[in-house]
């Protein structure tokens, strides 16, 4: 049998010198030569797999087939066994084999063949990530649905002791037989699979209703019998380290879980209502924390303008919109864009949704009097270049933010207003003098989130005149353009939409707009002037996305009219 080092030199272009250095490390520290070379980044895992394929005469298959796969093995083999040895049996109508990451693990291979009674002796070498993904997919497909667990539950099941999760465990690895634990795990994994941002657990007089918010819209998903309400709520409260005995006051908590390769942070909020406690779980996927401005859906011309503005040395950049319109995501994208070793960025947020490397983030805590205003005072003494204030809620916070901007800091913040012009009116209503607004605020970005038409069931149609009129369009404007909508299919859960994108209204405070603000705080007058100066409104940006086949007329009307 040829040596692995010799194969890597001949087939993968590894230098003799690097190989000799690695062999010396192997003599001193032990270990396998392939792993040492990968650790040193001298070769990739793919190079090693190709070399092992040649050495053992075993085919290398990087992308394992997932369609039409037989998942019966999930009932006989524990998931932990397959993950530990990075092996998975694959049986499709055309072929049967075992995928391995390390062909030297003879014993686990023989054990697996024996357990499953596999007649095929074919082995392939595959990437460890492909093997783990296929294992997770198979076990996820094999689990009972949450509806089935609810149907199988009996009243006596809810008396079982609910065990506490102390560490971040993969929910797919949890083999607990306690029905309530099974139900909560399935509810969470199902929500992640369906791209839900929130889970609502709402007790009614007769049942417990469970709804998921997907792409901004709430959908009924489960209806559970009343007798499981207490156990369900207690289980979630224990996971979130909340007081299960306190049922009369609102509480907040946090859960960290892993589902397959996803790391999920869950914020839990409970409030007492007439029929028990209502719980909302906000799901944040921490594996997708790198937010780029180019991914937000901002048109190219406005994106360039926005990137220019966020690099200003001083001033206030406000992002406005209702709750759930993506304001924080836009601000995180702005901070990620300008974040480098040359500048000091400090934020004060409620809550901190994503941790960003290299940025100092403060969590608001009213219990110890750490409010936005008090935190902002301290931040200014930390020699920041850029400050992010999660939200301007009161006059005190607004005044400190404006003073910070006037003394040479770049300040980012949010306001809850319907459009960009209304943000000016809101600041003046708070008690800020108009001349301070015009001196400090450099631009205001209003935004909404619209659902994107599902690519799998996209169809062309002719909209009626009334619908076009509602978003400021006419038939002449769409002449020669195709207008689309989604029919609904399994991949988009029959909604016709998959994912969301932003529509934006960027108002830059130039001299004509500043002059209007100094004369009046009327939002309509300010907006008219901004449109004269070339501002594209929310519905105008939405109309462009309709013409580009990204979203539908109904979506633009829903969020902007």
């Amino acid at each position: 049998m040829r040596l692995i080092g010799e194969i890597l030199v001949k087939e993968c272009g590894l230098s003799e010198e690097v190989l000799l250095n690695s062999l010396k490390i192997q003599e001193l520290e032990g270990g396998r030569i392939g792993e040492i070379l990968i650790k040193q980044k001298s070769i990739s895992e793919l190079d090693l797999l190709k070399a092992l394929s040649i050495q053992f005469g075993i085919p290398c298959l990087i992308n394992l087939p997932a369609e039409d796969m037989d998942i019966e093995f999930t009932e006989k083999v524990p998931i932990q066994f397959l993950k530990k040895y990075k092996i998975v049996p694959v049986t499709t109508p055309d072929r049967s084999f075992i995928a391995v990451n390390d062909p030297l693990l003879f014993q686990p291979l023989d054990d697996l063949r024996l357990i499953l009674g596999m007649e095929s002796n074919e082995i392939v070498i595959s990437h460890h990530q492909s093997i783990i993904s296929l294992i997770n997919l198979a076990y996820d497909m094999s689990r009972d649905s949450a509806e089935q667990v609810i149907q199988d539950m009996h009243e006596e099941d809810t008396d079982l002791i609910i065990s506490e999760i102390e560490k971040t465990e993969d929910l797919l690895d949890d083999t607990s037989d306690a029905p309530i634990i099974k139900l909560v795990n399935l509810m969470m994994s199902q929500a992640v699979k369906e791209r839900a941002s929130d889970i609502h657990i709402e007790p009614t007089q007769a049942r417990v209703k469970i709804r998921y918010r997907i792409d901004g819209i709430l959908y009924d998903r489960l209806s559970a019998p009343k007798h499981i309400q207490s156990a369900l709520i207690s289980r979630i409260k224990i996971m979130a380290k909340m007081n299960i005995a306190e049922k009369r006051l609102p509480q907040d908590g946090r859960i960290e879980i892993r589902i397959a390769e996803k790391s999920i942070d869950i914020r839990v909020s409970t409030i007492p209502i007439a029929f028990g406690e209502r719980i909302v779980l906000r799901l944040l996927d921490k594996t997708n924390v790198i937010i780029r401005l180019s991914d937000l859906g901002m048109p190219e011309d406005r994106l360039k303008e926005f990137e220019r503005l966020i690099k200003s040395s001083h001033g206030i950049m406000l992002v406005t919109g209702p709750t759930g319109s993506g304001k924080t995501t836009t601000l995180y994208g702005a901070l990620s864009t300008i974040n480098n070793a040359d500048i000091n960025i400090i934020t004060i947020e409620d809550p901190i949704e994503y941790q960003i490397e290299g940025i100092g983030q403060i969590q608001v805590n009213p219990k110890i009097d750490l409010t936005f205003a008090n935190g902002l005072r301290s931040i200014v003494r930390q020699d920041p270049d850029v400050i992010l204030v999660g939200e301007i809620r009161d006059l005190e916070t607004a005044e400190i933010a404006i003073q910070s901007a006037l003394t040479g800091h770049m300040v980012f913040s949010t306001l809850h207003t319907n459009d960009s012009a209304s943000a000016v009116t809101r600041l003046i209503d708070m008690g800020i003098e108009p001349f301070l607004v015009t001196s400090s605020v450099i631009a205001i970005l209003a935004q909404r989130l619209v659902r994107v038409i599902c690519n799998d069931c996209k169809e062309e149609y002719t909209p009626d005149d009334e619908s076009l009129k509602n978003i400021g369009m006419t038939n002449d404007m769409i002449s020669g353009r195709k207008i689309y909508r989604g029919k609904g299919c399994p991949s988009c859960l029959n909604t016709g939409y998959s994912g969301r994108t932003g529509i934006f209204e960027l108002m830059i405070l130039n001299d004509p707009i500043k002059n209007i603000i100094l004369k009046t705080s009327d939002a309509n007058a300010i907006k008219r002037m901004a449109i004269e100066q070339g501002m594209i409104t929310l519905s105008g940006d939405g109309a462009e996305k309709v013409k580009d086949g990204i979203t539908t007329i109904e979506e633009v009307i829903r969020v902007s009219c």
Side-chain angles (χ1 to χ4, degrees):
M1 187 184 285
R2 290 168 66 189
L3 294 172
I4 193 78
E6 179 192 321
I7 299 168
L8 286 166
V9 168
K10 190 172 181 183
E11 306 290 338
C12 303
L14 181 71
S15 72
E16 293 275 6
E17 188 184 350
V18 171
L19 178 61
L20 288 169
N21 287 335
S22 301
L23 287 167
K24 286 175 186 173
I25 294 168
Q26 187 185 33
E27 281 178 28
L28 292 168
E29 299 176 8
R32 291 189 187 175
I33 192 69
E35 290 170 2
I36 293 166
L37 287 165
I38 288 173
K39 199 174 179 182
Q40 291 179 325
K41 297 186 177 173
S42 302
I43 61 168
S44 66
E45 187 182 351
L46 189 56
D47 291 331
L48 180 61
L49 292 177
K50 285 176 181 173
L52 287 169
S53 174
I54 294 166
Q55 188 183 34
F56 288 92
I58 298 170
C60 181
L61 187 63
I62 300 304
N63 296 314
L64 297 172
E67 288 183 15
D68 300 324
M69 185 178 72
D70 186 347
I71 58 168
E72 275 188 27
F73 70 87
T74 58
E75 295 173 14
K76 299 175 184 176
V77 187
I79 189 173
Q80 294 88 345
F81 174 82
L82 298 180
K83 282 188 172 182
K84 181 181 178 182
Y85 297 110
K86 297 187 184 72
I87 57 176
V88 62
V90 182
T91 303
T92 66
D94 308 319
R95 195 175 172 192
S96 179
F97 60 88
I98 296 175
V100 300
N101 185 244
D102 182 355
L104 290 172
L105 294 173
F106 304 116
Q107 190 61 52
L109 271 168
D110 290 340
D111 290 344
L112 187 62
R113 279 204 194 98
L114 194 64
I115 293 166
L116 298 177
M118 286 185 79
E119 293 176 9
S120 168
N121 286 320
E122 188 184 357
I123 296 168
V124 303
I125 294 177
S126 188
H127 194 284
H128 88 277
Q129 200 60 49
S130 299
I131 291 171
I132 297 294
S133 294
L134 198 64
I135 292 168
N136 285 328
L137 176 67
Y139 281 84
D140 193 26
M141 286 164 63
S142 72
R143 295 168 73 88
D144 294 330
S145 69
E147 293 95 330
Q148 188 62 50
V149 173
I150 288 170
Q151 286 170 20
D152 293 346
M153 283 179 73
H154 306 289
E155 253 178 270
E156 58 268 21
D157 291 333
T158 59
D159 297 329
L160 290 167
I161 295 167
I162 302 165
S163 63
E164 184 170 357
I165 292 181
E166 284 295 347
K167 59 181 189 230
T168 306
E169 293 181 349
D170 191 330
L171 290 193
L172 295 178
D173 289 348
D174 194 336
T175 56
S176 172
D177 290 328
I180 203 69
I181 295 176
K182 214 173 181 183
L183 173 62
V184 172
N185 291 354
L186 283 169
M187 187 177 70
M188 289 177 179
S189 58
Q190 190 177 313
V192 171
K193 195 193 296 182
E194 294 186 15
R195 301 177 291 99
S197 60
D198 302 82
I199 303 171
H200 289 239
I201 299 165
E202 303 165 2
T204 62
Q205 190 166 6
R207 298 188 72 78
V208 180
K209 192 161 67 170
I210 297 168
R211 301 195 287 170
Y212 296 168
R213 188 178 293 279
I214 302 167
D215 292 334
I217 306 293
L218 275 170
Y219 296 95
D220 286 341
R221 275 292 171 264
L222 300 165
S223 179
K226 190 73 175 173
H227 68 78
I228 76 160
Q229 177 181 316
S230 177
L232 176 64
I233 289 168
S234 295
R235 171 63 184 161
I236 292 168
K237 286 169 90 173
I238 283 174
M239 289 174 77
K241 296 180 173 57
M242 294 156 80
N243 182 359
I244 63 167
E246 181 53 78
K247 299 177 182 180
R248 301 163 300 166
L249 294 171
Q251 291 188 66
D252 293 302
R254 202 171 196 139
I255 304 169
E256 281 192 38
I257 60 168
R258 278 189 302 110
I259 295 175
E261 282 84 44
K262 290 175 182 277
S263 179
I264 310 293
D265 192 23
I266 303 174
R267 292 208 311 270
V268 184
S269 168
T270 71
I271 57 167
I273 61 170
F275 302 112
E277 286 180 282
R278 191 182 192 279
I279 296 187
V280 174
L281 295 90
R282 165 65 60 89
L283 280 62
L284 297 166
D285 185 351
K286 295 198 291 184
T287 51
N288 299 325
V289 294
I290 299 168
I291 300 150
R292 294 179 300 179
L293 286 176
S294 56
D295 296 336
L296 300 178
M298 205 178 287
E300 194 65 35
D301 55 340
R302 254 155 292 167
L303 179 60
K304 285 180 181 171
E305 197 65 58
F306 186 66
E307 285 180 337
R308 180 186 67 78
L309 290 163
I310 62 175
K311 290 171 184 171
S312 304
S313 59
H314 61 275
I316 295 180
M317 164 65 75
L318 289 173
V319 181
T320 77
T323 304
S325 59
K327 300 186 296 295
T328 307
T329 303
T330 299
L331 287 176
Y332 277 140
L335 291 186
S336 298
T337 301
I338 62 174
N339 184 21
N340 59 59
D342 303 339
I343 61 171
N344 180 22
I345 304 175
I346 303 180
T347 75
I348 180 155
E349 305 168 60
D350 183 24
I352 296 170
E353 293 198 6
Y354 298 110
Q355 274 89 31
I356 303 177
E357 190 70 33
I359 292 177
Q361 295 171 275
I362 302 169
Q363 168 72 54
V364 166
N365 189 346
K367 290 178 185 173
I368 55 169
D369 205 29
L370 178 53
T371 60
F372 278 119
N374 291 339
L376 192 47
R377 280 197 192 90
S378 302
I379 286 173
V380 176
R381 294 193 285 271
Q382 288 278 314
D383 184 33
D385 298 294
V386 177
I387 300 167
L388 167 67
V389 185
E391 186 188 341
I392 293 177
R393 292 177 180 170
D394 51 44
L395 175 61
E396 191 179 10
T397 309
E399 284 177 337
I400 303 165
I402 284 169
Q403 290 305 320
S404 302
L406 293 173
T407 51
H409 303 93
M410 184 64 199
V411 180
F412 295 98
S413 193
T414 69
L415 272 177
H416 285 95
T417 61
N418 289 327
D419 59 14
S420 50
S422 302
V424 174
T425 310
R426 177 79 193 279
L427 288 172
I428 293 168
D429 283 349
M430 278 183 184
I432 301 295
E433 293 291 341
F435 73 89
L436 285 175
V437 174
T438 56
S439 305
S440 58
V441 179
I442 57 171
I444 302 164
L445 181 77
Q447 69 176 73
R448 298 288 189 281
L449 290 175
V450 291
R451 291 181 290 171
V452 175
I453 302 168
C454 172
N455 271 323
D456 294 340
C457 60
K458 207 172 189 178
E459 65 171 6
E460 190 185 339
Y461 81 110
T462 305
D464 59 77
D465 293 345
E466 187 65 30
S467 297
L468 289 169
K469 187 181 172 185
N470 283 334
I471 58 168
M473 290 171 70
T474 62
N475 275 311
D476 294 339
M477 293 168 74
I478 60 165
S479 178
R481 305 289 285 268
K482 293 178 179 178
I483 304 298
Y484 293 94
R485 63 185 173 194
K487 280 193 298 186
C489 65
S491 65
C492 64
L493 305 170
N494 294 310
T495 61
Y497 300 97
S498 180
R500 289 190 288 177
T501 190
I503 57 172
F504 301 92
E505 175 182 288
L506 180 61
M507 185 172 84
I508 301 166
L509 271 68
N510 57 19
D511 289 340
I513 293 173
K514 286 179 181 178
N515 289 335
I516 283 283
I517 293 168
L518 291 170
K519 289 175 189 171
T520 177
S521 61
D522 179 16
N524 292 324
I526 297 166
K527 187 172 185 174
R528 278 196 300 271
M529 176 55 76
I531 292 168
E532 281 177 31
Q533 295 297 308
M535 180 184 83
I536 308 293
T537 62
L538 284 166
S539 56
D541 189 24
E544 285 301 314
K545 285 185 168 62
V546 168
K547 285 196 279 185
D548 292 339
I550 295 168
T551 191
T552 62
I553 293 169
E554 291 76 19
E555 269 300 283
V556 176
I557 292 168
R558 180 178 70 84
V559 301
S560 66
C561 296

